[in-house]
C-alpha cells in the first residue's frame, strides 16, 4: 500500500468512462480498478475491474498461465507531443506484453506448465513507438506465469510517462538509500576496527552486525529501484526486507545486553518478549515493525530508571528510532508540502526508519569515543604515575641506608672474609644492572624476575649472615610479567617478616584456571604484621601501577597472613 501511495504522488490523472487518460503526467495503470484477468491458454475469464492487489489475491493461490488486459486513453496531440515511455516493475518471473495487439517486449521466456527458462528483470523501461499508439482507447495485454514462485505475481508498477519523470522517481527512491548505504558501511568499519582493537568487546561485534544488516537493507533498495534484482527469487523481496528489518531489532537486544552488562536471564527474557511481540502483532494485525521497534526502547527505559551511565542517551535514541518508524510506516508527514519541495528531502522522508538507525549509530559512536578518551586519559595518568613511582623506586633502591648497610658489611668482610666480600660486590653489581635493564620494560620473562630475586636474597643473606633462599614450582620460565613485581614482594617480605639472623624461605608457584593465572609467593615469616595489600609503601604502589598498566582492570593483588607464614597472590584474568 505504501508503494501505491508513493507512486500516486507523481500522478495527475483524468479519466473517461473510468478509463484513465494519459495527458503527459505519469499514470500507474496497476493502481486503477480497470484490469480483466484470464487463466490458461484458453483465456478463461476470472474477474474484471481489478487492480494489482486484486490480481495478486487471485493469482497467488495457484501456479499457472495468466492474462491481464488493461485500457487507457490518449489523444493524438499527446502522442505527437513527445516521447512516451512504459515502465514495467514486477516480481513476476516471466511476462510478455502486447500493446494494441502488437508484441511490445518479452521479459523472460514463458513456457506453459513449466518454469520459464529465462527469468525476466524486475524493471523494464521502454519507449513506446508512436505507431503502436492510437488516438482514443488503447489496450495492453500481459501474458505471465508464476510457476517458479506462486506468490511472485505482483504488478508493482505499470506506468506510462516520460523518461525524465521515471528517472526523477528513481532518484527520489534511491538518493537516501545510497547516502545511508555509505553511512552504514562507514559505521560497520568503525565498529569492526573497535572490536579488534579494544579487547574484542562483544558490543562492537553486534553493532557491526547491526550495520551490516542495514547496509544489506538499503543496498537492496538501491538495486531494486534500478532494476538490478531478479523479477522473482526464492525469497520474496518483501519477505527479505521484512526479515532484515526484524533482524535489526533482534540484534538491538544483544547490543543492550552487552552495553548494559545484563545478566543472561535478562537476555533470555528479552528474546522471549521479542518472539511474543512478533506473534501477537502478526495475529492481531498490528504493524510488526512498529511493535518490534518499541521493544528495545521499553527494555532500555526500564533499566535507565537506575540512572546508570549512558543509559539515558541510549534510551532517548531508541525512542527516536521507534518514533521515526511510526512516522514512516503510518505515512504521517508524506502529504506535507515541504516534503516534496526537494527530491532529496522526499527521499529522506521515505527512509525515516533507516534514519532512526543512523541516529542510534551516532549515539553509540559518541559513547564509544567518550569511553576511549576517558580510557586514554586514565592510561596516560597511570603512565605518568608509573614513571614517578619508577623514579621513586630506583631512588629507594639507592637510599643511603641501603648503601651504608652494604658498605658496612663489605668493610667487615674485606678484612675478615675477602672471598665473601667479592661475592657480595658481584651480587650488588648484578642486582643494580638487572634493575636498570628491567625497570624500563613493560614485560619481562619470569626467569629474569626470579634471577633478580635470587640475587637480592644472596645479598641479604651475606648482610644478615643467615640463609635466604627461594624455591620455584610449576613455572615454565617463559611466562611474561611486569618487571620487579615479584622482587618488590620479596623485598617487602624480608623487611616486614624477618629480624636478626633468622633464616627466610620463599616459595614461588603458579596456578592456572579457566579464567585466570595466579602467582603465589609464600614466606615462612612468623611475625604478625598488617596486611601488606593495604600498606602505603612505595614498593606496593609500584606493583599495583605495573599491573594496571599491563592488565587494566584485569588483575587483583592479595596479601594475607596464613598458617605458618605470609602469602601474596597476583591474579591476572584471561582475555575472554
Amino acid at each position: 500500500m505504501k508503494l501505491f501511495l508513493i507512486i500516486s504522488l507523481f500522478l495527475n490523472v483524468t479519466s473517461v468512462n473510468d478509463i484513465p487518460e494519459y495527458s503527459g503526467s505519469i499514470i500507474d495503470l496497476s493502481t486503477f480498478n480497470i484490469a480483466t484477468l484470464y487463466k490458461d491458454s484458453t483465456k478463461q475469464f476470472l474477474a474484471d475491474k481489478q487492480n494489482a492487489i486484486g490480481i495478486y489475491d487471485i493469482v497467488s493461490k495457484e501456479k499457472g498461465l495468466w492474462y491481464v488486459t488493461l485500457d487507457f486513453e490518449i489523444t493524438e496531440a499527446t502522442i505527437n507531443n513527445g516521447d512516451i515511455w512504459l515502465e514495467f516493475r514486477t516480481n513476476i518471473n516471466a511476462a510478455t506484453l502486447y500493446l494494441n495487439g502488437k508484441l511490445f517486449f518479452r521479459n523472460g521466456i514463458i513456457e506453459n506448465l513449466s518454469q520459464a527458462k529465462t527469468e525476466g528483470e524486475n524493471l523494464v523501461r521502454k519507449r513506446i513507438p508512436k505507431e503502436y499508439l492510437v488516438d482514443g482507447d488503447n489496450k495492453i495485454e500481459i501474458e505471465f506465469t508464476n510457476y517458479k514462485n506462486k506468490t511472485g505475481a505482483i504488478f508493482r508498477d505499470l506506468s506510462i510517462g516520460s523518461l525524465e519523470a521515471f528517472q526523477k522517481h528513481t532518484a527520489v527512491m534511491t538518493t537516501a538509500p545510497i547516502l545511508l548505504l555509505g553511512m552504514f558501511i562507514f559505521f560497520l568499519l568503525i565498529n569492526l576496527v573497535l572490536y579488534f582493537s579494544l579487547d574484542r568487546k562483544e558490543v562492537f561485534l553486534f553493532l557491526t552486525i547491526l550495520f551490516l544488516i542495514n547496509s544489506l537493507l538499503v543496498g537492496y533498495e538501491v538495486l531494486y529501484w534500478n532494476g538490478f534484482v531478479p523479477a522473482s527469487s526464492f525469497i520474496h523481496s518483501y519477505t527479505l526486507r521484512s526479515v532484515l528489518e526484524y533482524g535489526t531489532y533482534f540484534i538491538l537486544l544483544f547490543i543492550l545486553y552487552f552495553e548494559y552488562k545484563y545478566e543472561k536471564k535478562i537476555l533470555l527474557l528479552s528474546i522471549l518478549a521479542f518472539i511474543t511481540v512478533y506473534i501477537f502483532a502478526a495475529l492481531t494485525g498490528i504493524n510488526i515493525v512498529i511493535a518490534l521497534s518499541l521493544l528495545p526502547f521499553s527494555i532500555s527505559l526500564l533499566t535507565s530508571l537506575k540512572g546508570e551511565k549512558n543509559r539515558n542517551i541510549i534510551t532517548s535514541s531508541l525512542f527516536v528510532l521507534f518514533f521515526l518508524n511510526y512516522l514512516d510506516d503510518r505515512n504521517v508527514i508524506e502529504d506535507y508540502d515541504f516534503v516534496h519541495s526537494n527530491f532529496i528531502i522526499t527521499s529522506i522522508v521515505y527512509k525515516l526508519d533507516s534514519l532512526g538507525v543512523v541516529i542510534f549509530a551516532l549515539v553509540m559512536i559518541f559513547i564509544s569515543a567518550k569511553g576511549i578518551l576517558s580510557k586514554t586519559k586514565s592510561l596516560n595518568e597511570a603512565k605518568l604515575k608509573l614513571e614517578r613511582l619508577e623514579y621513586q623506586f630506583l631512588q629507594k633502591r639507592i637510599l643511603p641506608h641501603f648503601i651504608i648497610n652494604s658498605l658496612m658489611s663489605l668493610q667487615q668482610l674485606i678484612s675478615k672474609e675477602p672471598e665473601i666480600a667479592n661475592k657480595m660486590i658481584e651480587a650488588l653489581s648484578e642486582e643494580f644492572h638487572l634493575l636498570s635493564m628491567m625497570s624500563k620494560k613493560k614485560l619481562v620473562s619470569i626467569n629474569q624476575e626470579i634471577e633478580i630475586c635470587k640475587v637480592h636474597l644472596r645479598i641479604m643473606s651475606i648482610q644478615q649472615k643467615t640463609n635466604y633462599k627461594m624455591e620455584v614450582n610449576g613455572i615454565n620460565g617463559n611466562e611474561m610479567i611486569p618487571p620487579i613485581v615479584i622482587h618488590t614482594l620479596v623485598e617487602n617480605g624480608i623487611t616486614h617478616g624477618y629480624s636478626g639472623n633468622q633464616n627466610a624461605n620463599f616459595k614461588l608457584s603458579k596456578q592456572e584456571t579457566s579464567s585466570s593465572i595466579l602467582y603465589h609467593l609464600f614466606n615462612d615469616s612468623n611475625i604478625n604484621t598488617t596486611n601488606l595489600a593495604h600498606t602505603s609503601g612505595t614498593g606496593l604502589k609500584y606493583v599495583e601501577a605495573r599491573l594496571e598498566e599491563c592488565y587494566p582492570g584485569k588483575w587483583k593483588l592479595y596479601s594475607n597472613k596464613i598458617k605458618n607464614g605470609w602469602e601474596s597472590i597476583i591474579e591476572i584474568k584471561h582475555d575472554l
Side-chain angles (χ1 to χ4, degrees):
M1 291 299 293
K2 182 177 179 180
L3 182 61
F4 293 152
L5 174 63
I6 292 170
I7 293 173
S8 68
L9 296 171
F10 294 90
L11 306 183
N12 181 16
V13 182
T14 58
S15 63
V16 178
N17 298 325
D18 296 328
I19 298 176
E21 180 181 356
Y22 175 71
S23 58
S25 299
I26 294 177
I27 58 172
D28 182 2
L29 301 179
S30 67
T31 63
F32 293 91
N33 297 322
I34 59 172
T36 302
L37 178 63
Y38 304 90
K39 180 182 178 182
D40 296 332
S41 57
T42 59
K43 294 188 178 180
Q44 174 189 348
F45 171 79
L46 294 178
D48 60 2
K49 296 182 180 181
Q50 299 294 312
N51 59 19
I53 296 176
I55 294 171
Y56 174 78
D57 288 341
I58 297 172
V59 173
S60 62
K61 291 181 171 63
E62 60 178 307
K63 295 180 180 181
L65 177 66
W66 312 90
Y67 293 86
V68 170
T69 61
L70 310 95
D71 293 290
F72 68 95
E73 297 279 344
I74 190 170
T75 64
E76 187 172 354
T78 302
I79 295 172
N80 296 325
N81 190 42
D83 288 340
I84 301 172
W85 288 66
L86 185 139
E87 183 173 271
F88 185 66
R89 190 192 308 276
T90 72
N91 75 330
I92 294 171
N93 184 54
T96 302
L97 190 143
Y98 299 88
L99 181 56
N100 292 323
K102 299 177 182 179
L103 175 64
F104 187 30
F105 64 78
R106 299 181 188 274
N107 189 33
I109 299 176
I110 295 176
E111 286 193 356
N112 295 342
L113 304 177
S114 65
Q115 285 189 195
K117 284 185 177 180
T118 303
E119 185 175 6
E121 300 172 348
N122 83 303
L123 173 64
V124 176
R125 191 176 285 166
K126 192 174 180 66
R127 185 179 66 84
I128 303 176
K130 295 185 186 298
E131 60 270 21
Y132 276 51
L133 298 168
V134 298
D135 184 17
D137 185 32
N138 290 259
K139 183 181 292 292
I140 294 175
E141 181 179 356
I142 305 170
E143 179 186 16
F144 69 95
T145 65
N146 61 341
Y147 288 118
K148 181 175 181 180
N149 184 347
K150 185 169 67 174
T151 60
I154 297 179
F155 292 90
R156 300 185 183 279
D157 192 2
L158 180 58
S159 299
I160 301 172
S162 66
L163 179 61
E164 292 78 10
F166 289 143
Q167 290 174 335
K168 180 181 177 182
H169 182 222
T170 299
V172 168
M173 301 309 298
T174 58
T175 297
I178 289 171
L179 294 173
L180 291 166
L181 177 61
M183 290 182 182
F184 287 136
I185 291 175
F186 176 68
F187 296 149
L188 184 155
L189 293 174
I190 285 178
N191 283 278
L192 196 61
V193 169
L194 290 175
Y195 172 71
F196 285 106
S197 60
L198 294 180
D199 301 325
R200 304 199 177 205
K201 291 181 66 174
E202 292 89 345
V203 67
F204 295 123
L205 177 61
F206 279 91
L207 282 168
T208 300
I209 296 172
L210 175 72
F211 299 130
L212 175 61
I213 289 173
N214 282 270
S215 296
L216 295 174
L217 187 59
V218 295
Y220 183 86
E221 292 282 325
V222 174
L223 295 175
Y224 174 80
W225 288 105
N226 283 282
F228 296 132
V229 299
S232 181
S233 57
F234 177 72
I235 300 177
H236 195 290
S237 60
Y238 176 79
T239 303
L240 176 63
R241 289 196 294 268
S242 297
V243 168
L244 291 174
E245 285 184 327
Y246 303 158
T248 292
Y249 306 110
F250 186 70
I251 293 298
L252 277 174
L253 301 180
F254 287 85
I255 292 171
L256 294 178
Y257 167 71
F258 289 112
E259 179 66 24
Y260 293 161
K261 297 180 173 59
Y262 288 145
E263 296 178 0
K264 285 188 178 180
K265 66 178 182 181
I266 301 297
L267 176 61
L268 294 176
L269 289 174
S270 299
I271 295 173
L272 180 61
F274 181 92
I275 296 171
T276 303
V277 168
Y278 174 82
I279 294 174
F280 178 78
L283 293 176
T284 59
I286 297 173
N287 187 290
I288 296 175
V289 171
I290 294 177
L292 292 179
S293 66
L294 181 61
L295 184 59
F297 163 69
S298 302
I299 293 172
S300 185
L301 180 64
L302 293 175
T303 57
S304 66
L305 296 176
K306 300 178 181 178
E308 296 187 21
K309 189 177 180 181
N310 297 326
R311 297 199 180 195
N312 289 335
I313 187 172
I314 293 176
T315 303
S316 299
S317 69
L318 290 173
F319 173 76
V320 171
L321 175 59
F322 159 72
F323 183 67
L324 291 178
N325 259 290
Y326 179 83
L327 296 180
D328 180 72
D329 285 281
R330 297 297 182 186
N331 306 315
V332 174
I333 65 175
E334 292 180 5
D335 290 332
Y336 287 93
D337 292 338
F338 79 91
V339 173
H340 308 288
S341 61
N342 181 284
F343 81 93
I344 296 178
I345 296 175
T346 309
S347 186
I348 291 173
V349 169
Y350 289 158
K351 295 303 296 178
L352 288 178
D353 52 348
S354 295
L355 185 61
V357 179
V358 169
I359 293 171
F360 175 77
L362 293 174
V363 166
M364 295 305 294
I365 289 174
F366 169 75
I367 290 172
S368 299
K370 190 170 70 170
I372 291 170
L373 288 174
S374 176
K375 188 173 182 179
T376 302
K377 183 179 178 181
S378 299
L379 287 174
N380 288 336
E381 290 175 352
K383 185 177 180 181
L384 289 173
K385 179 181 178 182
L386 181 60
E387 288 175 351
R388 289 194 299 269
L389 285 167
E390 284 178 348
Y391 176 72
Q392 293 171 3
F393 183 71
L394 289 175
Q395 278 189 321
K396 179 179 181 294
R397 296 303 301 139
I398 58 174
L399 283 174
H401 74 82
F402 180 77
I403 296 177
I404 290 170
N405 289 342
S406 299
L407 291 175
M408 288 177 63
S409 298
L410 280 172
Q411 186 178 25
Q412 295 175 3
L413 291 171
I414 288 171
S415 59
K416 297 181 180 179
E417 299 177 87
E419 291 184 5
I420 296 177
N422 286 334
K423 290 181 181 180
M424 185 170 182
I425 292 171
E426 290 175 0
L428 284 168
S429 174
E430 185 177 356
E431 181 171 13
F432 280 112
H433 171 70
L434 290 170
L435 278 171
S436 63
M437 181 181 66
M438 295 170 60
S439 61
K440 293 299 180 182
K441 294 182 179 180
K442 186 174 182 179
L443 292 169
V444 297
S445 72
I446 201 166
N447 266 346
Q448 290 178 288
E449 186 73 9
I450 293 169
E451 182 183 358
I452 196 172
C453 290
K454 290 184 175 181
V455 170
H456 186 72
L457 291 174
R458 287 208 310 270
I459 294 171
M460 297 307 297
S461 295
I462 295 171
Q463 281 189 7
Q464 300 299 324
K465 296 183 179 180
T466 185
N467 186 18
Y468 289 4
K469 61 181 181 180
M470 173 182 280
E471 180 183 336
V472 178
N473 294 308
I475 292 177
N476 297 327
N478 56 358
E479 297 94 334
M480 304 299 287
I481 62 169
I484 321 300
V485 293
I486 304 296
H487 177 278
T488 303
L489 295 175
V490 167
E491 185 186 31
N492 279 1
I494 294 171
T495 303
H496 298 284
Y498 300 94
S499 63
N501 59 355
Q502 180 183 357
N503 290 337
N505 295 293
F506 288 84
K507 293 182 180 179
L508 177 64
S509 61
K510 185 185 81 170
Q511 178 186 356
E512 188 161 1
T513 68
S514 59
S515 60
S516 60
I517 296 175
L518 296 97
Y519 292 100
H520 298 257
L521 180 67
F522 168 80
N523 67 72
D524 59 356
S525 165
N526 58 9
I527 295 179
N528 292 322
T529 184
T530 57
N531 188 327
L532 294 181
H534 296 92
T535 63
S536 58
T538 301
L540 213 57
K541 287 183 178 179
Y542 168 82
V543 173
E544 292 171 346
R546 276 295 195 183
L547 291 171
E548 181 62 25
E549 178 196 25
C550 298
Y551 316 104
K554 297 180 179 179
W555 62 273
K556 288 183 180 179
L557 176 62
Y558 310 92
S559 195
N560 298 286
K561 182 163 183 61
I562 62 174
K563 183 179 180 181
N564 299 324
W566 194 278
E567 184 178 52
S568 296
I569 301 174
I570 296 174
E571 180 181 5
I572 301 169
K573 295 181 180 178
H574 292 309
D575 290 329
L576 298 179

